[in-house]
Amino acid sequence: MLSNTDIAELLAQQAETETGIRVRAFRRAARSAFLWPEEVSDLLAQNRSLTELRSIGPFIEKQIRQWIAEPRRSKTPPEIRRDFLSLAEARRLLATRPDWPRKLRGDLQMHTRWSDGSGTLAEMADAAATRSYEYIAITDHSKGLKIAGGIDEVELERQAAEIAKVNAALSKSTPHVTVLRSIEMNLNPRGEGDMSPESMQSLDLVLGSFHSALRKTEDQTDRYLAAVRNPHVQILGHPRGRIYNFRLGLTADWPRVFAEAARLDKALEIDCYPDRQDLNIALLKIARDHGTRISLGTDAHHGWQLEFIDLGLAAALRAKIPADRIINFMPVLELKAWANCVRDRTMRKE
Ligand SMILES: [Zn+2]
């Protein structure tokens, strides 16, 4: 029986043979397949229509039914589409280990209207409360990423006031949730950030990410070593910079990068956004062997997208990351203490 990931690959391959508007329709359906909450095979077994699923109209439904009726082996996906989990698969995996998702206390990457997100800060906090989280980190883009509406030091201060207000309201309605002050600081290819060190010092956590020169094919180890050694960064966001069916991401001497992160006690992220899933499982296994800390962030741009966390939880479980290496499993005070400790340690070395 074809799984949703098999169907995604067939849809992506079909897109390559189509012309006109169908190219986009099949490409969109391929991406959406990773978000379908149930396996297509289960829907069919229950005589349900596939048009319940995101991006599936009658035409694509007919095509999928045809593939299932005459099963042929889907080709191995090319690297640009390989090693992505579907939400249906992730949930099946997590259901086998209910103790694992229960350890999760929060989400450490999301965007709001302060940069390119579509939800307000209060809406993201509500979504976190609904999921019974203990904390979320607000990581809007920093000023260097103009295309995503990055914010400068002054706006970051103004955001602090709004976070304080939201936290005050939460302490009355849902006292279990805290909104942490963070940022997704843009790193240049030399691993340097674009914000003043003083303003980074005022945050609970700093996530640093590369958003430029992501199509280089030469080894990028030096760039990664510089980023993990950046004294103002505690978490390296979406490390490879890969995007499903769009960009392969960078390469590096990963064992060296993970070993250096472990030495400095820094975390590398699993960006759980379905198109990213970065780190992926193959790299997570290397991280596990080096004892590197892992951070889970959905990169949500809207409240409902907090559900993407299941993709990261499942990837970490499949890669057998020990629970004590996942920073989102720490209570909020311990998480803050870790960030401060990492900060002090790398500052002293500067
Ligand atoms: Zn980013």
Side-chain angles (χ1 to χ4, degrees):
M1 202 52 172
L2 296 172
S3 69
N4 287 2
T5 43
D6 295 329
I7 293 169
E9 182 52 23
L10 290 169
L11 289 164
Q13 288 173 15
Q14 189 67 30
E16 287 165 359
T17 68
E18 295 283 352
T19 52
I21 55 162
R22 284 190 185 167
V23 177
R24 287 188 58 177
F26 275 100
R27 281 178 70 98
R28 193 177 329 114
R31 291 176 62 215
S32 295
F34 292 93
L35 270 183
W36 297 338
E38 296 170 77
E39 293 285 352
V40 160
S41 53
D42 292 339
L43 259 72
L44 293 179
Q46 297 162 28
N47 271 321
R48 286 157 61 192
S49 164
L50 301 186
T51 56
E52 284 184 37
L53 301 170
R54 185 189 293 262
S55 309
I56 298 298
F59 179 77
I60 292 184
E61 166 161 30
K62 200 169 143 213
Q63 177 67 76
I64 294 174
R65 286 180 181 273
Q66 220 166 40
W67 287 330
I68 287 176
E70 40 179 272
R72 46 173 187 170
R73 264 159 51 103
S74 59
K75 283 183 276 177
T76 314
E79 205 187 339
I80 205 157
R81 296 196 292 263
R82 207 177 301 155
D83 205 0
F84 287 86
L85 289 169
S86 72
L87 202 55
E89 190 180 2
R91 289 187 174 155
R92 208 168 44 241
L93 187 65
L94 295 176
T96 65
R97 280 284 306 278
D99 60 310
W100 184 255
R102 267 203 300 266
K103 293 181 200 293
L104 180 73
R105 293 170 187 263
D107 186 330
L108 297 176
Q109 192 193 164
M110 66 191 64
H111 302 266
T112 70
R113 287 190 198 162
W114 281 91
S115 63
D116 61 347
S118 56
T120 63
L121 236 153
E123 283 164 0
M124 299 312 275
D126 282 346
T130 308
R131 301 181 65 87
S132 305
Y133 281 168
E134 193 174 316
Y135 49 81
I136 50 171
I138 300 296
T139 57
D140 279 301
H141 290 287
S142 62
K143 62 185 178 188
L145 204 63
K146 299 245 166 13
I147 191 173
I151 57 177
D152 64 15
E153 289 81 355
V154 175
E155 290 167 297
L156 191 65
E157 271 308 307
R158 290 220 308 270
Q159 187 188 55
E162 188 179 332
I163 289 179
K165 223 183 275 172
V166 169
N167 275 332
L170 287 171
S171 71
K172 295 190 191 101
S173 60
T174 38
H176 59 89
V177 199
T178 306
V179 178
L180 299 174
R181 289 190 63 209
S182 185
I183 195 164
E184 184 180 7
M185 180 162 67
N186 195 40
L187 300 178
N188 67 23
R190 291 181 304 284
E192 300 157 344
D194 61 345
M195 298 290 278
S196 80
E198 299 73 44
S199 92
M200 295 301 90
Q201 277 286 91
S202 70
L203 301 178
D204 295 308
L205 283 169
V206 178
L207 182 79
S209 305
F210 295 118
H211 296 103
S212 57
L214 297 174
R215 289 186 183 270
K216 294 237 179 294
T217 50
E218 323 77 270
D219 176 275
Q220 300 290 306
T221 306
D222 289 343
R223 172 199 302 221
Y224 285 103
L225 293 177
V228 298
R229 288 171 186 154
N230 183 318
H232 310 294
V233 170
Q234 294 92 49
I235 304 168
L236 185 64
H238 51 71
R240 298 177 56 190
R242 74 167 185 165
I243 294 189
Y244 177 79
N245 214 8
F246 175 71
R247 190 171 63 214
L248 267 175
L250 300 171
T251 52
D253 181 348
W254 294 112
R256 255 186 91 195
V257 174
F258 291 128
E260 184 65 359
R263 189 180 71 80
L264 298 167
D265 202 28
K266 299 209 178 178
L268 271 76
E269 185 190 56
I270 305 178
D271 183 310
C272 310
Y273 208 84
D275 282 359
R276 288 192 180 265
Q277 303 194 37
D278 174 12
L279 299 168
N280 58 319
I281 293 170
L283 290 195
L284 283 168
K285 289 179 179 168
I286 306 176
R288 173 200 63 204
D289 293 344
H290 288 82
T292 314
R293 289 197 194 262
I294 298 296
S295 173
L296 305 177
T298 53
D299 205 346
H301 285 65
H302 201 281
W304 70 267
Q305 295 180 336
L306 295 189
E307 71 178 41
F308 297 165
I309 203 77
D310 287 348
L311 292 169
L313 281 167
L317 182 61
R318 186 162 281 173
K320 298 195 167 64
I321 303 288
D324 73 355
R325 293 293 86 191
I326 298 185
I327 65 173
N328 312 55
F329 290 178
M330 289 195 259
V332 68
L333 290 178
E334 203 181 310
L335 178 70
K336 284 184 179 183
W338 164 76
N340 284 333
C341 178
V342 168
R343 191 179 258 152
D344 290 348
R345 196 168 4 161
T346 41
M347 288 287 187
R348 271 202 310 275
K349 283 193 185 132
E350 203 186 13

